[in-house]
Every structure is written in structure tokens, then in C-alpha cells.
Amino acid sequence: MATAAANDSEGGGGMTLTTKIVIGMVAGLVVGVLFNVIDSPFINEHIVGGLFAMIGKMFVNGLKMLVVPLVIFSLICGVTGIGDIRLLGRVGGKSFALYMATTAIAITLAIVIASIIAPGAGFDMTGVKAGTVAAKEAPTVWDVFAGIVPTNPIAAFAEGKMLQVIFYVIVIGIAALMLGDRSKGFVEACEYMNELMMKVVEIVMMFAPYGVFCLIAKTFAQQGIELFIPVLAYVVTLVSALFLHLFVTLMIMLKVLSGLNPITFMKKIRPAQIFAFSTASSNATIPVTFRCVTQRIGADNSVASFTVPFGATINMDGTAIMQGVATVFLANVYSIDLGLMGYLTVIGMAVLASIGTAGVPGVGLVMLTMVLAQVGLPIEGIALILGVDRLMDMIRTAVNITGDAVVSTIVAKSEGKLDMAVFEDPDAGALSEGEFEIDEEAEARLAAAARPHDRA
Ligand code: ASP
């Protein structure tokens, strides 16, 4: 059956899974736009809101179910594999500093670009409904740090509180290191579980072309193009800033700090970008980012097992860019001059907000309420950009996870924990659907063994 299923969808011969996912994405876009134009109640309710929503949700759930176990086992292996607590501290310190730096650069860039393009200047507010968004309270730096230590680790696992999970698992890993030889069995079991989880990631990824198709088709079927017209200037400014950060800032950082080729890097991280774009969730994308960073780019598990989930939780360059552009846009719409202090506050708030926020869809907008409240901009202005936020969320999440991968790669390279042979090999870690076909020869051998009289 597995063979038939694989052959059915094979069509393009030795097509890699990434190619198939790209096809799923483009097909989803075309079908989604078409359904949006047709606007049939039957299609909207049963196909888009029913079938597509169901498959898309199953796929995202499939990714999410992997996150916590994958982080637990890979991180335990990472800590025990590093073997040296000082090195762990160095990896932690470097990645934290780089994550904060990239976010601060991202939002500064966003504010500069938005100030030049000045979206929202002369905007006509008549006919704009007041939003129903309530401002979120800003957590203090102290609250953010205190929240890292879980009172109940099982609750942290169950709720997917990544900072708490990371903290707890690192402590367990360190304890295992301290017990030395006594931990051998435990470490071996974790290594096995880590390998097993990576296999499960591959299984879930086999469904990606269909999951991605449904997610994208649903989004575009539900988002009419007319939503974009009134806030076109905002969208254009935001997308320009996101692309500039993605292709220029991050790639220059990669080249300067690690000496690696940005084009090779971009090719290798593409599957994770597509997953992030389709799911709009850095957290759900952790398994794919982790797989790309370790198996395609060549970073060692001991670094990536920490930097990838850590980045997905605290590093949100794309989200910070959205917050910067949105703030300038709304300040223009309401003709409020924020002044230098206002902008510095926005930068500080956005960096802080990105630490305490989980990488899930739409949360960037919730955090924006906090930033706006802090600089005295009307929260209801969010109503203006609400309509386009899903699509913007997809793009900024792809930027978010690229930032995670760039920092992970730089840290791994600086620690001598990046396998250049893997990085240079274009096929390293690439999946093709054929991998999951049952080997016909093996099948024939099994069948023959079951029927001894058939043997020659
Ligand atoms: N969806 C984003 C992420 O998961 C967060 C956000 O900006 O809403 O990275």
C-alpha cells in the first residue's frame, strides 16, 4: 500500500519533497484565489471551511505533537553530548546576544524604512470601525526571567511553555552529566528517542505537500484581495522591510560572522521557510527548522538542540519589524508625533516582547497592543491592519525562523561544530518520497520466506 501511495503521487520521477511542497504551495495559492473569486457558499463552507481546514489542522497538529518530545530528547543529548558546562554557557550566551542583536537591528531597520516611506500619512479615518482589541499588559523584565523556572515541569510540557521546558531539560542534562557513568543507560535511551523522533518528523513531512496545499488554499480563499487596498502602503512597507532584513541584514551577518555562502544557506533552509509560511507558527516549525539546521546545514545536535527551540521562543525579527512598521503607520494615521523617545521605547518594548512571546500565529498582533499602549497610540488602530495580518504573519514567521537558523549556524560554526561536508553537499538531508516506499526486493524476500515451497 505504501508503494502504491508513493507511486501515485510520484509523477515527477525523483522529485524531492521540497519540490513537492513548493508545488503544493503554488497550487494552494491558485486554488485559494480561484475559490475566493467564485465565492460559492457550498465551497466556502464544505471545501474551504471543512475539508481544507481539517487537513490543514491535522497537519499543523502533527507538527505540534512533535515539538515537546523532540526538544526534550535532542536537548538532553545536546547537553550530555557537549559534556562541558562551560561550553553550554558559551553557546547560551552567544545565541542570546545574537538573538537580541538581530531583533534590535530588525526593528530599527523597520522604523527607518517606515519613516522614509511614511505609510498612512493622509489616511482617511472615516468609515473605519473601532476595533475590539484590548491592550495587553507589558511584562517587566523581571517577570520574564522569573517565568523561566517552572513550578511544575509536567504542566510546562503539557502547555508547551518552551522557555520553561528548555530550562528544565538543561538542568536534567547537567544532572545526568554530573552523575557520569551512572547516566550511560539514560543517555543511550535518550539518543535512541532522539533518533526515533527525527524519523517521526520525516513521516509527518511526507504529508507536507497536502497539508501546505490546504493551509495556503484556505488562507487565500478566505482573504479577499480587496482587504489589501486600503492598507496597501502598510503592506508594501512591511514586506519591503521584511525582505530587506531576510536577504540583506541576515545574509550579511551570516557571511561576516561565519564566512558561509548565503545562497547555499538559503537553499538549505527553504523547507523550514515554507513550513513557517504555511503554518504561521515558529513553534510548530521547530521540528523542520531543527532538521534543516542539523541534517541539511550540518550544525551539530549539541548546538542546534538548544539554539533552535530557544530562537523559536525568544527571537522574532519579523514580528519586531511588523511592530515597528505598524507603529509608524498608526502614528501617521492618527497624526501623532512619537519623537525620538517614542521610537526608542518602541525598540525596547519590541525586543522585550519577543522574549516573552510564544511563536504561535497572530501573537505578534497581540503584543503590538502592548507596544502601542506604551507610546500612547490608540489600540483600536489595530482594526486597520487586522484584515491583512494573517498573510503578514505568514511572511514574518518565515523571517523569524530564518533568523533562528542563521544564529544557530553562526554559533555552531564559531564553536567548530559545523560539518562543512554536509553544508557543501547539496543533497545532504534532502528527503525524497521514494525513501518511504517499501523496498520491492525486500518485500519479495519476505514473501518468499513466508512461502518456503516457492523457493528455488
Ligand atoms: N506567528 C509568529 C511566529 O510564530 C509570531 C507573530 O508574529 O505573530 O513566529
Side-chain angles (χ1 to χ4, degrees), residues 334-358:
Y334 290 102
S335 307
I336 294 174
D337 185 12
L338 290 180
L340 185 63
M341 264 326 278
Y343 287 121
L344 289 179
T345 311
V346 173
I347 294 175
M349 287 299 292
V351 173
L352 186 64
S354 76
I355 304 179
T357 316

Side-chain angles (χ1 to χ4, degrees), residues 280-283 316 319 358-365 393 396-397 400:
S281 167
S282 304
N283 261 12
M316 291 184 191
T319 304
V360 289
V363 62
L365 207 65
D393 195 4
R396 70 179 180 251
T397 307
N400 288 349

Side-chain angles (χ1 to χ4, degrees), residues 297-311:
I297 292 173
D300 195 74
N301 177 56
S302 58
V303 172
S305 65
F306 171 70
T307 55
V308 170
F310 190 43

Side-chain angles (χ1 to χ4, degrees), residues 22-40 43-44 46-49 51-53 55 209-224:
V22 173
I23 294 174
M25 196 168 124
V26 175
L29 199 121
V30 173
V31 171
V33 171
L34 206 70
F35 281 0
N36 184 268
V37 174
I38 296 173
D39 198 20
S40 135
I43 293 181
N44 291 350
H46 298 288
I47 310 280
V48 176
L51 187 70
F52 287 179
I55 298 178
Y210 316 103
V212 165
F213 168 82
C214 290
L215 288 172
I216 304 271
K218 176 173 164 275
T219 306
F220 281 89
Q222 291 174 342
Q223 300 257 318

Side-chain angles (χ1 to χ4, degrees), residues 240-285:
S240 322
L242 286 171
F243 281 5
L244 204 66
H245 186 69
L246 179 66
F247 293 112
V248 183
T249 320
L250 287 176
M251 292 308 110
I252 290 179
M253 277 186 86
L254 180 78
K255 183 78 198 159
V256 171
L257 298 178
S258 73
L260 295 170
N261 183 339
I263 296 172
T264 314
F265 174 89
M266 272 298 195
K267 279 190 190 148
K268 300 215 160 197
I269 198 66
R270 197 180 308 140
Q273 290 171 331
I274 296 173
F275 274 70
F277 182 79
S278 314
T279 60
S281 167
S282 304
N283 261 12
T285 312

